[in-house]
Amino acid sequence: MRAIGIGLIGWGTVGCGVIQTLRDNAEAIENRLGAPLKLLRVADLDLDRPRPVAVPSELLTTRAEEIMNDPEIHIVVELMGGLGAARTFIRQALENKKYVVTANKALLAHHGNELFDIARQNGRAIGFEASVGGGIPIIKSLREGLAGNRIDTIFGILNGTANYILTRMTEGGLDFDAALGEAQAKGYAEADPALDIEGTDAAHKLAIASALSFGTPIQFDAVYTEGISRIDPLDVQFGEEFGYRLKLLAIGRNTNGRVGMRVHPTFIPKDHILAGVSGAYNAVHIHGNSVGNIMLYGMGAGMLPTGSAVVSDLMDIARDILAETPPRIAPLAFLPDRLKEIPLKPISDISTCYYFRFSALDRPGVLSKISGILGANEISISAVIQKGRETEGSVPIVMVTHEAVEANVRKALEEIDRLDMVLAPTQLIRIENHETQADD
Ligand code: HSE
């Protein structure tokens, strides 16, 4: 029986998950595929660092070229991350007529369109299930399971580290740094955790998932992104008092002929289905015109869940190799010449509800001044909390609004933050009240 040869570049957390999955599940994999997946080489610049999963020394090398030039290797798995050498290796592998599997969402968000073109020119495929949602088969669902739909919404929690931090701050009372330290220790965070905390990692994933959903090229630069580093425990507590849970949400919508993509901290009602998604779990709601609403849920990060996604790509590609057929499914679900640039909807045009926390002097007339400016900008208040007296110079005044247009909100807050009685920039957190708002 013909074995499918695998070369792996990057012996890190996900690499260990792939190696362990290939080893522990070899029998089940072979029984499904009809051929074994054989790990022939593992390349990493540092072979001495302790790892949770060992590799026989005869497979190890510090030279990725040995993988590129090995005729026994059919599929190159790129798990080193980053935008530099990883891009070069993937190009080389494709030009050497090898198939590629990668978990590198940053690379695909920035250069996926180019890499998919190179793959097509060489009659090869790039598998990238592990790039979005860790172990959850989101790519396969969008590309195959939901192929009969027009998809208008993709909405959810796409970063395990940020979700872990917010969960531990909400439920465990931890401060931000302690929660981040825990997420790093569990292997959820990126090598540079700023990518998780500032929302960039979720934006990479949203850009990829939106392209697959809406039939556009990947447009990472069009994703509006805010992270969770500016979140104060006070906001988590006030949100709880209003009946909200704080999540870093990724929202992609294709409505009325425009595509909007945004990632930002978001309050959702505590009884919202996503409010119960905690720790490093991810969840994605998708709305298709035939299927209606569906939700996919599972571990969005971690060694074995992400390894599971990589191995599913290996098996899909191995089936094509064994059947000697060219790749049958377009990488972004739509045929490359049918991808369309759809006009973009900027963040200033969205309409949603808002949470504001003003840091103001506790003086007569402050509230009426602030609400006057909001009213003049067509922002209607639905609830207000002011607790305690002034400490350290200011008092937090917290408001929740009815739906308002973002451009009006920004104009009003600029005016409010210029008032002498307002001592610090106002905290703004958007609120999503429904599972999938039809249009915002
Ligand atoms: N750092 C990512 C996360 C890993 O926390 O979700 C999975 O892409």
Side-chain angles (χ1 to χ4, degrees):
M1 188 193 311
R2 187 178 176 198
I4 302 297
I6 313 290
L8 193 154
I9 308 175
W11 185 23
T13 303
V14 180
C16 285
V18 173
I19 295 163
Q20 185 172 331
T21 301
L22 287 174
R23 190 188 64 204
D24 292 357
N25 302 343
E27 191 181 337
I29 291 168
E30 190 171 334
N31 285 341
R32 289 187 174 112
L33 202 55
L37 295 180
K38 199 155 179 233
L39 186 64
L40 296 179
R41 217 108 186 91
V42 175
D44 198 294
L45 287 177
D46 174 3
L47 299 177
D48 300 325
R49 178 161 50 95
R51 266 96 167 174
V53 178
V55 173
S57 59
E58 65 274 17
L59 302 193
L60 290 171
T61 176
T62 54
R63 293 166 41 79
E65 297 74 28
E66 289 182 19
I67 290 178
M68 301 300 162
N69 299 321
D70 184 338
E72 299 293 307
I73 290 178
H74 302 94
I75 312 175
V76 175
V77 183
E78 181 279 306
L79 298 175
M80 59 187 294
L83 304 182
R87 184 179 175 193
T88 309
F89 288 142
I90 290 179
R91 290 184 68 129
Q92 276 176 8
L94 294 168
E95 282 159 6
N96 286 3
K97 307 290 180 202
K98 299 197 185 299
Y99 293 80
V100 169
V101 173
T102 180
N104 193 336
K105 52 263 164 156
L107 181 63
L108 293 178
H110 287 279
H111 302 296
N113 299 320
E114 162 208 301
L115 293 172
F116 293 138
D117 269 353
I118 296 171
R120 188 166 43 86
Q121 286 154 18
N122 287 281
R124 294 295 179 261
I126 303 176
F128 54 102
E129 184 62 68
S131 67
V132 182
I136 311 171
I138 294 175
I139 304 295
K140 204 169 187 65
S141 300
L142 289 172
R143 209 157 53 181
E144 298 176 51
L146 299 173
N149 285 262
R150 279 186 283 121
I151 297 171
D152 56 40
T153 307
I154 174 152
F155 175 100
I157 295 168
L158 286 179
N159 184 270
T161 301
N163 201 48
Y164 187 89
I165 292 171
L166 292 175
T167 303
R168 296 292 281 141
M169 285 174 77
T170 307
E171 294 172 6
L174 261 69
D175 69 24
F176 188 93
D177 291 337
L180 170 61
E182 282 189 7
Q184 285 177 302
K186 287 172 184 282
Y188 304 147
E190 297 301 304
D192 173 6
L195 291 171
D196 299 299
I197 294 159
E198 298 308 339
T200 316
D201 176 76
H204 290 148
K205 294 165 178 169
L206 180 64
I208 296 167
S210 296
L212 282 152
S213 302
F214 309 140
T216 67
I218 298 172
Q219 303 174 92
F220 170 66
D221 290 343
V223 183
Y224 175 82
T225 308
E226 280 176 24
I228 60 169
S229 58
R230 65 184 175 84
I231 296 299
D232 191 298
L234 259 187
D235 299 313
V236 175
Q237 287 159 23
F238 279 123
E240 291 279 314
E241 290 186 35
F242 281 115
Y244 292 123
R245 195 57 46 88
L246 190 62
K247 295 289 176 192
L248 181 68
L249 285 197
I251 303 168
R253 291 201 175 99
N254 178 8
T255 43
N256 301 328
R258 290 201 296 172
V259 166
M261 294 178 284
R262 51 195 168 103
V263 171
H264 50 68
T266 312
F267 279 124
I268 52 177
K270 277 188 204 170
D271 61 0
H272 190 295
I273 193 163
L274 289 176
V277 175
S278 57
Y281 278 88
N282 283 191
V284 188
H285 268 283
I286 301 166
H287 182 262
N289 68 328
S290 294
V291 74
N293 285 315
I294 67 160
M295 190 171 101
L296 303 170
Y297 169 80
M299 278 295 279
M303 183 176 107
L304 286 171
T306 315
S308 154
V310 169
V311 172
S312 96
D313 276 341
L314 291 174
M315 292 175 71
D316 269 351
I317 290 174
R319 286 189 187 99
D320 282 348
I321 296 172
L322 292 165
E324 297 180 7
T325 56
R328 289 164 307 132
I329 301 177
L332 292 177
F334 290 64
L335 296 174
D337 60 350
R338 306 285 175 94
L339 295 173
K340 277 200 291 221
E341 306 260 358
I342 301 176
L344 296 166
K345 179 170 184 167
I347 188 80
S348 53
D349 285 7
I350 70 160
S351 173
T352 191
C353 303
Y354 292 84
Y355 159 102
F356 302 136
R357 178 170 50 80
F358 303 102
S359 303
L361 292 173
D362 195 6
R363 299 279 187 278
V366 171
L367 207 50
S368 73
K369 186 81 189 160
I370 290 174
S371 51
I373 294 172
L374 293 176
N377 285 284
E378 295 181 47
I379 301 160
S380 159
I381 300 161
S382 80
V384 183
I385 299 180
Q386 184 192 329
K387 282 216 180 124
R389 299 289 307 198
E390 193 174 299
T391 50
E392 293 171 7
S394 70
V395 66
I397 302 170
V398 180
M399 285 183 192
V400 168
T401 74
H402 293 292
E403 265 191 38
V405 174
E406 175 103 5
N408 293 343
V409 165
R410 292 191 180 208
K411 189 160 160 279
L413 292 192
E414 261 174 40
E415 201 176 324
I416 289 168
D417 286 353
R418 280 200 304 269
L419 297 173
D420 291 342
M421 55 190 75
V422 171
L423 302 186
T426 299
Q427 176 69 296
L428 170 163
I429 299 178
R430 298 172 191 85
I431 300 171
E432 288 277 321
N433 278 316
H434 311 294
E435 281 181 10
T436 51
Q437 285 171 320
D439 185 16
D440 61 11

